[in-house]
Structure formats: structure tokens, C-alpha cells
Amino acid sequence: MKYSLSDIARMCGGVLQGRDSVVGDVVTDSRRCAFGDGAMFVAMRGTNYDSHDYVGDMYQRGVRAFMVEREVVVAEDAGYICVDNALEALQRLAAAHRATFKGKVVGITGSNGKTMVKEWVARALPAAVKIFVSPMSYNSQLGVALSLLMIEGDEELAVIEAGISEVGEMERLERMIRPDVVLMTSIGDAHQSNFESLEQKVSEKMVLAKRAHTFIYHSYYKEITAATESLAEECKVVDAADMEVTELPLCNDALRIDAQEVKMLCRELGYGEPQLSPSDVAMRLEVKEGVDGSTIINDSYNSDINSLSLALDTLRSVALGGKTTVVISDILQSGMGDEELYSRVAQLVAHAEVDTLICVGERIKPHVGKFTCKTRYYASTEEFMRALSHEDIAGRTILLKGNRRSHFERVCHSLERRSHTTVLEVNLDAMTHNVGYFRRHLPMNHRLVSMVKAHSYGAGDVEVAQLMQRLGVSYLAVAFADEGVILREKGITMPIVVLNADAGSFDKMVAYSLEPEIYSFHSLADFVRSVERYGAHNYPIHIKLDTGMHRLGFVEQEVDELIALLKDSRSVRVATIFAHLSCADDPTQDDFTRRQIALFDAMSGRIAAAMPYDVLRHTANSAAIERFPEAAFDMCRLGLGLYGYGYCHNEELQPVATLKTRIVQLRHRAKGEAIGYGRSQVLERDSVIATIPIGYADGLDRHLSGGRWEMLVAGHTAPTVGRICMDSCMIDVTDIEGVKEGDEVVIFSPAKGNTLEDMAEVLGTISYEIMTSVSARVKRIYVRE
């Protein structure tokens, strides 16, 4: 888009104050680093935030155009559009911009598979077709508006994803998107909590098609089939079940349905029926550990100006001020002339403060001089790979941003640290969603502590900490000093609390600015001595109270003595006072939990009131945030809920972890043969047995042997066979057609029946134990949708 501020004010019903200017980009997150010179910052107010506080910061970063909900004047050389509601104003602007678009618009909705189908469509269409696809999972009330505003205008086709979580939302999305064609992928229980029934949710999603001329669905979903009767008579209704898909012999029902809908959409748009492969789907942005202490951000399947901006933001958040390298190929089908295109790319790279840029391709070559950072050029990926040196890699965060023709996946493979075939995939978008979910239950700007102990419950350390720092969490909490030291050495600067602090680690904690949990008079005296040895003053500590957990902490009878020691201390300062709720997730124990909360309020209130400075208090864990609002106090702690697990299988939380591996061998075994150690399981039929490289040394519990757990191969279940070994195990794939060596096997995932909580139920344990049992030798990969 490209509009003057005065045009935008007219289109969205706002009032312009100050200087008029041309806007080419909309920024709603003050943490975003990559934006062009014509950016407009939109300040919003919500239940838990007010981004007007960052208008001044954005001005200092070069922004001169703003949309605000209250009067904010920073300087005379800036322009301000004043509106009553910034989100609604952006939606009106997006609708007006959409109205100028002459190409076709496809709206994609459904419970699951929206992003998958959207990206698959983008790869299935002929290369000559100029298409815009909404980035990542930009499908919310704000995300759809931002997506539409990214349309340049000369595309043949725009594909927009639309997601809802409550009644009334689709009406607003439809007014913006006004799709010519609607494709509904599926219907299921996802985000069901705000709907009275599945039928009500289908009805709400069907609103997207009320002015469409074509509606594509799959009759596998009976509720959607029934709802098609509500469509206007002039709307063409197309069942994708009639489409043949023969090129995907090994795929589950959900993938086959997605493929049928993709092929049907391409045909209805007039582009014929493409040959499909799951590998055609754009890979998610992945963060991987590289060789020579590097970190690799692999975004080598998307090449456009919008996705570059998002990838550069990720680079900045992961690098945490360390050295960065961006490897970028020619950007194809941008809709702009190369002069304008690479001028914008240069602006984004400059704002992201990239240290080194490596350009690959013929079209980018004439524009290398536009970049102000250290820049090198190579004609091809092969030439670049031959020239790579240790200095290019060591200790750097490297973003690979290429078009498909450049085959940057080869670069990623060469830079990636060799590791276990088995990987734990951690979805950072899901983690971000979970933080947002809990914040909705709390007052605006309420402080949070994120529990990243035990390798972030198995999810990894620095990557999770980086995300929490970016999301504005107040504290991190680790179990032992060594965990905190690792985070400090990897660039984490935010406050870190050590929960199991002991005298042997106090000196190290002071040296690395780690803050101890103090739970006894002995630990207090020992830590004061360490502080005094270092000559420090007013060092922050965290007082632990015992309100009924009976593990660690000061009891009520010790409060007066504790106050006497703390209130006049010059060595230490009480930063927070906290306690643990032992059963906040158990409704049968609610009376006990309320007594704990009341006791904590009384004890902590006495201590806080006696201190000559402000002290934060916190006792609520993830379950208490939802169930006991009176326990919020000044701060709350996110533990397992951060990772997508909670009491009563909360459907609103998104599990972040998927443990997967690959088949390394297939063998046909005859009925009567025994499998594994101890000949523990004798086959009752002729079978096909797959061996996979994961065992109890990787965290796969031996009690899952002999069919007690079923893994997923192409979406189909494959039970364990025989005993689980130290480094491997066997699964039965007899009933799955087309299986071959190298196929992916999912040990646990967010998929129904294959979740971490399902596994915990089989083992008679809790999700914590399984997550933290995944071995450090299992490689972690961090993805964004």
C-alpha cells in the first residue's frame, strides 16, 4: 500500500494533526525492528497493554507517522491520525484498500489446516502467477487487516486466512476480505469454548462466504455439508471430495482432504489441476543450532518483502545484540521494479542493524551498493558455499532468506550441527499464544515470571528465554545457578531468580547477577556474606514463604524475626515475596487453596509493609491465574501452562512440543518371530516392523513397550513392539500402506490421541516428568508458523 496520512485519515474516519506524509508500511508492535522509512506506528489500548507509551521510542527510531487513540504529540515534524479505536480504524482502512484490488480474493477458514492449505496453494499455482498470501498465521482481527494492507495491487490473486474464536468476529473479517472464493478446510473442536455448539461455529464461519461466488468444502465434514444450504443461490458450491489425489500414496486423511481442496481450488480459479507433494508446502521458519557456535534461522522457502521483514525481526530477537549475518537471494515476483524493491530491502536491513549481508543472485547484483552494512555478493548458491569461511559462521546468528530456485536448504544443511535424527520441535508461536492467553486473565501490564528451569521443562533454555524477554516478561526462574549462568553467557539480560539457591553457588550468583530464593535464616546469612565479599549493596533477593506446601520457606512464626533482619539491611533488598500453591489445579482442594492464599496475603503483607521500599508479591501459578483471581497480587508465575499444558486439558492452550524421528530400517517378520530383548513379544501375524532411533536414553519410557503407546506415521497409528531399548525401539507399521525408510514418525504431538498428556495418562504420571525427561542429546528445533 502507499497512501498519504490525509488519505488514511479520510479512509478510516480519523482526524489528521501535524505534518502529512506518505505511508508504505504499518507497524503495530513497537518491538519490530525491520520497517521502511514510510512506516506508520499504530498505538492501541487493550485490557493488558497500552502501546501509546512507545510512541516516543518509535519517533526516536525514525517513525514520523502515527495512528493514536489519545492525544500524543512528540514533535512538530510528525503526523498523527486520531481515532476512537485504532483496531476498527485499521479494519476500515484495510477494507478500503481491498476495494481497490482488481484481482481475485480467496478467503480460507476452518478449524485446522488453514495455514497448510494457504501455503500449499501458493506453491501449487503456476510460477508465472503473481500471488499475495497472508504471512504466517495472520488470521486474527488485526492480522487480517495487516495482511490486506500488504497487497501491492498488481497481483492476480490474494489468499487471505481468516480465523475466529467467538461469535461476531467473522462478520468483521468478511467486511474486510470480501472474498470472491471461500475455502473451508475442516471443522472440529479447536477454539470451541466460546461457541455453544459445533453447528454454531460452522454457522459463524459460513459468514465469510455470504457474498462469495464460489464455496469449496469437503463432504467428509457433515456439519459443513449441512450448512451449505444457507448459502445464496448464486453461490457455486463445490465438494472437493470429487477430486482425485493419486500422487500422495502415503498420507493421512487430513492431508488427503487438504490436497483435494487445494487441487479443487486451483481448478476453480482456472489454473488446472496441479500435481502435489507435501514438500511443496512452505517450511516454517526454524531456529537451529549451527556449527562453530552459530545459530541458524532457516526461512529459505519464502522470498518476498513482507516475509523478509518478519524474518529480520526474528533475527534481532534471537541474536540479542550478537553478530548477525543475513544471506538473501533474488526476490522474485515482488510486483515492484528492482530499483524500488531493493531500496526497500536496504531500508529493512539497515533498521535491523545487520552486521553482514551476503547477496546471492543476478537480479540483486546491481543493487549491492544500496546496502550500508558490510556486504558481499555471489552469483550462485554454489559459489557462496565454496567461499564460506569460519569467520562467516563462528558465534553468529545467520538468517537464510532465499527463493526456492536458490536451494538455500543446502546451505542450512551444511551449517547445521550434526546431531540425533530424533528432534524435539518447539513451536514458539504456540508459546506466544499461551502467554497471551494467561495475560487475558490478568489486569493490564500485570507482571509475569516464566519458569525456564530444567531446560525450560525440556523445551530448551536460551531460545525460550529470548522469547520471554521479547514478550516483556518481568522475571525468569531457574532451578540452579548453573542454569542461570548459561543464560547470562548467551546474552540474556533480564532478571533471573534461582529457586534452589544454596550457599555453594552464592558467589557465582553474585558474579553473574542472579537473584536467589531465600527460604531460611541460614540461607539469608550465607548470602549476605557473599554480597559483602563482593562489596555489593541492596542486592535483590526473593523471600520464600511456606503457606502449606511444606517444602521450603519461612513459616508464620518466623515473620517478626525476618522483618527485623531485613528492614535495615544495606546488603540485600527484598525484590519479591512468594509462596507455592500446592493444589490450585484440583477443585476438590479449593478450600485449602483459599486458606493458602489468605495466609500468604497476611504473611507477605506484614513483611512488605515493614520494608522502606516497594516489594512485589506473587503466589499464583498457571492454574491459579485462571481459577483464583484473588491470588494475582503483583505478579504471577507461568510454569507448565506456558508450554501448553494445564489442568482439565484446557483447549485454549496450545502445546508447544512435538517429538519426532524417522524410520531407519524396515523388515518383514513372520508370524511367531519374537521382537527385541528377552523375546518379550511374539508376533501373532506376518508383520512389517520399523526400527526408529529413539530409546529410553532419549526419554522414551520403557513402560511404553509392547504396544502401550502408539506413534504416528503419516497420521496413522503404529504401536510399539517388544521392549524399548536404550537408543532405539520398534513399531508395527503393517497396516500403513506405502511406508518406507526415512519416513517421519511422531512420538508425541498436539494431535488428539498422541499428546503428551495422553502419554502421561498411560504412564500414570504428569506431563512435567515426560517433558523434562527428553534427553539433551535430542536436538531442539524452534519453529514459527
Side-chain angles (χ1 to χ4, degrees):
M1 75 169 210
K2 187 172 288 187
Y3 297 109
S4 67
L5 276 178
S6 53
D7 285 336
I8 292 173
R10 174 181 51 80
M11 295 161 77
C12 71
V15 176
L16 175 60
Q17 298 178 355
R19 194 187 73 171
D20 201 359
S21 61
V22 176
V23 172
D25 191 8
V26 174
V27 180
T28 59
D29 187 342
S30 62
R31 295 165 297 189
R32 182 174 157 191
C33 67
F35 48 81
D37 291 340
M40 177 178 70
F41 177 62
V42 180
M44 299 181 179
R45 285 181 289 188
T47 305
N48 295 296
Y49 63 90
D50 186 346
S51 58
H52 291 78
D53 297 337
Y54 302 103
V55 169
D57 293 340
M58 296 301 286
Y59 178 86
Q60 294 298 322
R61 293 171 60 193
V63 177
R64 294 296 181 268
F66 300 89
M67 180 182 288
V68 295
E69 296 178 348
R70 57 181 170 86
E71 186 171 344
V72 178
V73 178
V74 177
E76 293 181 357
D77 64 338
Y80 307 85
I81 297 175
C82 300
V83 296
D84 293 332
N85 184 295
L87 176 58
E88 292 177 3
L90 270 184
Q91 290 177 335
R92 287 193 291 271
L93 176 61
H97 184 60
R98 155 61 182 105
T100 67
F101 181 58
K102 304 304 182 184
K104 288 184 179 179
V105 176
V106 176
I108 297 182
T109 190
S111 294
N112 296 293
K114 296 185 293 293
T115 303
M116 171 78 168
V117 167
K118 177 189 68 179
E119 298 294 348
W120 212 345
V121 168
R123 296 300 177 267
L125 292 177
V129 177
K130 178 70 190 314
I131 180 174
F132 170 81
V133 179
S134 55
M136 299 198 295
S137 294
Y138 272 38
N139 60 20
S140 65
Q141 297 292 308
L142 175 60
V144 167
L146 294 176
S147 294
L148 290 167
L149 291 171
M150 292 176 188
I151 296 175
E152 296 290 341
D154 65 338
E155 300 91 345
E156 288 184 37
L157 185 69
V159 182
I160 306 296
E161 184 178 336
I164 59 171
S165 57
E166 59 184 47
V167 173
E169 289 187 331
M170 192 60 87
E171 185 74 34
R172 296 190 290 275
L173 295 185
E174 194 278 337
R175 283 199 297 268
M176 287 188 284
I177 302 170
R178 284 181 52 203
D180 302 296
V181 180
V182 169
L183 186 153
M184 189 176 295
T185 59
S186 65
I187 198 68
D189 295 332
H191 307 292
Q192 183 63 40
S193 59
N194 293 322
F195 297 97
E196 294 177 358
S197 64
L198 205 58
E199 288 73 20
Q200 185 189 42
K201 182 161 65 175
V202 173
S203 178
E204 178 71 11
K205 289 182 180 290
M206 294 294 290
V207 170
L208 185 62
K210 71 178 185 180
R211 289 187 283 182
H213 61 65
T214 304
F215 179 78
I216 299 172
Y217 76 109
H218 199 290
S219 55
Y220 174 86
Y221 300 100
K222 304 305 180 186
E223 295 85 359
I224 301 177
T225 303
T228 58
E229 296 179 1
S230 66
L231 292 170
E233 289 185 10
E234 58 270 24
C235 181
K236 180 182 180 181
V237 179
V238 183
D239 183 1
D242 298 331
M243 181 62 65
E244 287 190 8
V245 176
T246 59
E247 63 267 44
L248 302 175
L250 180 61
C251 68
N252 58 32
D253 290 339
L255 189 63
R256 186 172 297 279
I257 289 170
D258 288 345
Q260 288 177 300
E261 292 192 316
V262 168
K263 294 188 78 168
M264 185 64 78
L265 175 61
C266 291
R267 192 183 77 177
E268 289 298 314
L269 291 172
Y271 298 117
E273 298 177 14
Q275 287 293 111
L276 300 180
S277 167
S279 63
D280 288 336
V281 182
M283 293 181 63
R284 292 169 292 179
L285 188 149
E286 297 178 331
V287 181
K288 302 180 178 183
E289 186 176 352
V291 297
D292 294 333
S294 65
T295 300
I296 312 301
I297 303 176
N298 182 25
D299 195 22
S300 57
Y301 288 82
N302 285 301
S303 179
D304 60 75
I305 195 75
N306 297 313
S307 66
L308 174 61
S309 174
L310 298 170
L312 288 169
D313 283 333
T314 300
L315 175 71
R316 276 283 297 272
S317 66
V318 171
L320 287 176
K323 292 289 185 181
T324 58
T325 297
V326 173
V327 186
I328 185 171
S329 73
D330 291 339
I331 295 177
L332 307 177
Q333 291 189 327
S334 70
M336 292 177 274
D338 284 356
E339 184 69 28
E340 180 185 0
L341 170 65
Y342 290 109
S343 294
R344 288 183 61 181
V345 171
Q347 291 176 10
L348 296 179
V349 169
H351 277 288
E353 299 178 355
V354 172
D355 295 301
T356 301
L357 177 70
I358 297 174
C359 302
V360 179
E362 291 299 328
R363 289 181 61 178
I364 199 172
K365 181 179 180 180
H367 307 281
V368 170
K370 291 182 170 63
F371 300 98
T372 56
C373 62
K374 181 181 177 182
T375 305
R376 303 208 310 270
Y377 166 76
Y378 298 97
S380 67
T381 302
E382 291 75 14
E383 182 182 336
F384 160 57
M385 292 179 68
R386 287 195 298 269
L388 265 178
S389 67
H390 174 78
E391 290 71 25
D392 292 327
I393 301 167
R396 288 177 169 264
T397 303
I398 303 168
L399 170 63
L400 301 176
K401 195 77 180 77
N403 61 60
R404 287 216 154 204
R405 297 176 189 174
S406 60
H407 295 292
F408 275 10
E409 66 271 16
R410 291 179 292 175
V411 182
C412 182
H413 181 70
S414 68
L415 297 180
E416 188 178 348
R417 185 174 70 86
R418 300 295 178 265
S419 188
H420 207 325
T421 301
T422 301
V423 299
L424 184 73
E425 188 177 274
V426 181
N427 189 321
L428 297 180
D429 285 340
M431 199 174 292
T432 300
H433 165 86
N434 295 336
V435 171
Y437 168 78
F438 285 107
R439 277 180 165 154
R440 292 202 301 271
H441 289 75
L442 296 169
M444 185 169 69
N445 298 324
H446 201 75
R447 296 177 177 87
L448 290 174
V449 182
S450 289
M451 310 301 288
V452 295
K453 62 180 182 177
H455 205 51
S456 294
Y457 291 33
D461 44 38
V462 68
E463 292 82 5
V464 176
Q466 287 169 339
L467 179 62
M468 295 303 104
Q469 189 161 287
R470 179 172 172 79
L471 293 177
V473 169
S474 298
Y475 283 89
L476 301 176
V478 298
F480 299 102
D482 288 345
E483 295 176 326
V485 169
I486 290 172
L487 295 179
R488 286 283 184 252
E489 289 180 340
K490 292 184 177 180
I492 300 300
T493 58
M494 63 189 295
I496 300 174
V497 182
V498 180
L499 298 177
N500 290 342
D502 61 87
S505 64
F506 282 164
D507 285 355
K508 180 183 288 187
M509 290 176 60
V510 177
Y512 282 88
S513 299
L514 305 174
E515 304 175 15
E517 168 191 299
I518 299 297
Y519 51 82
S520 69
F521 292 116
H522 285 299
S523 65
L524 176 59
D526 287 339
F527 189 73
V528 166
R529 281 192 288 271
S530 288
V531 169
E532 291 173 347
R533 275 197 297 274
Y534 274 79
H537 301 286
N538 294 320
Y539 198 98
I541 62 173
H542 302 263
I543 299 298
K544 173 70 178 295
L545 304 181
D546 181 0
T547 60
M549 179 83 167
H550 301 325
R551 182 172 61 183
L552 292 172
F554 293 95
V555 295
E556 191 172 14
Q557 294 78 7
E558 297 172 323
V559 168
D560 289 336
E561 183 180 354
L562 180 61
I563 290 173
L565 289 170
L566 292 174
K567 67 178 182 179
D568 297 322
S569 175
R570 298 179 59 190
S571 300
V572 297
R573 171 181 58 84
V574 180
T576 77
I577 307 167
F578 73 107
H580 275 78
L581 299 177
S582 55
C583 45
D585 59 342
D586 184 357
T588 67
Q589 300 285 343
D590 281 358
D591 288 343
F592 177 78
T593 299
R594 291 190 179 94
R595 289 196 296 272
Q596 275 197 284
I597 295 169
L599 181 56
F600 173 75
D601 190 15
M603 292 173 64
S604 63
R606 286 172 56 195
I607 299 170
M611 297 302 110
Y613 45 77
D614 292 335
V615 178
L616 301 178
R617 299 188 293 163
H618 57 103
T619 193
N621 55 13
S622 300
I625 291 173
E626 298 179 274
R627 305 191 64 242
F628 297 97
E630 69 271 25
F633 293 99
D634 305 306
M635 190 158 62
C636 296
R637 297 190 299 274
L638 288 181
L640 199 60
L642 174 63
Y643 305 97
Y645 306 99
Y647 79 101
C648 298
H649 302 277
N650 188 328
E651 292 181 356
E652 289 298 308
L653 295 177
Q654 296 181 6
V656 306
T658 299
L659 183 62
K660 56 177 65 173
T661 189
R662 293 191 179 275
I663 295 171
V664 295
Q665 187 178 73
L666 282 173
R667 285 288 185 264
H668 291 267
R669 301 297 180 190
K671 176 181 178 180
E673 288 193 71
I675 304 296
Y677 281 118
R679 305 186 74 249
S680 59
Q681 187 168 347
V682 177
L683 297 177
E684 297 180 355
R685 61 174 180 170
D686 292 345
S687 303
V688 181
I689 304 300
T691 300
I692 56 176
I694 181 172
Y696 56 79
D698 302 296
L700 186 63
D701 198 297
R702 288 184 76 247
H703 294 93
L704 297 173
S705 302
R708 293 197 67 205
W709 183 246
E710 294 181 336
M711 303 178 192
L712 298 179
V713 179
H716 300 282
T717 56
T720 57
V721 184
R723 293 179 185 170
I724 291 171
C725 312
M726 179 182 289
D727 307 302
S728 61
C729 68
M730 287 67 72
I731 56 175
D732 187 342
V733 295
T734 309
D735 298 324
I736 306 175
E737 294 183 9
V739 179
K740 59 184 182 299
E741 291 179 1
D743 283 345
E744 184 178 84
V745 179
V746 179
I747 293 92
F748 64 71
S749 70
K752 193 171 183 178
N754 186 238
T755 69
L756 200 66
E757 289 172 323
D758 294 326
M759 184 180 284
E761 188 173 340
V762 170
L763 293 171
T765 185
I766 56 176
S767 305
Y768 291 81
E769 180 178 351
I770 300 173
M771 274 285 287
T772 56
S773 296
V774 178
S775 170
R777 77 179 186 179
V778 172
K779 179 171 59 178
R780 271 69 174 171
I781 293 179
Y782 300 89
V783 302
R784 293 183 182 275
E785 297 293 349

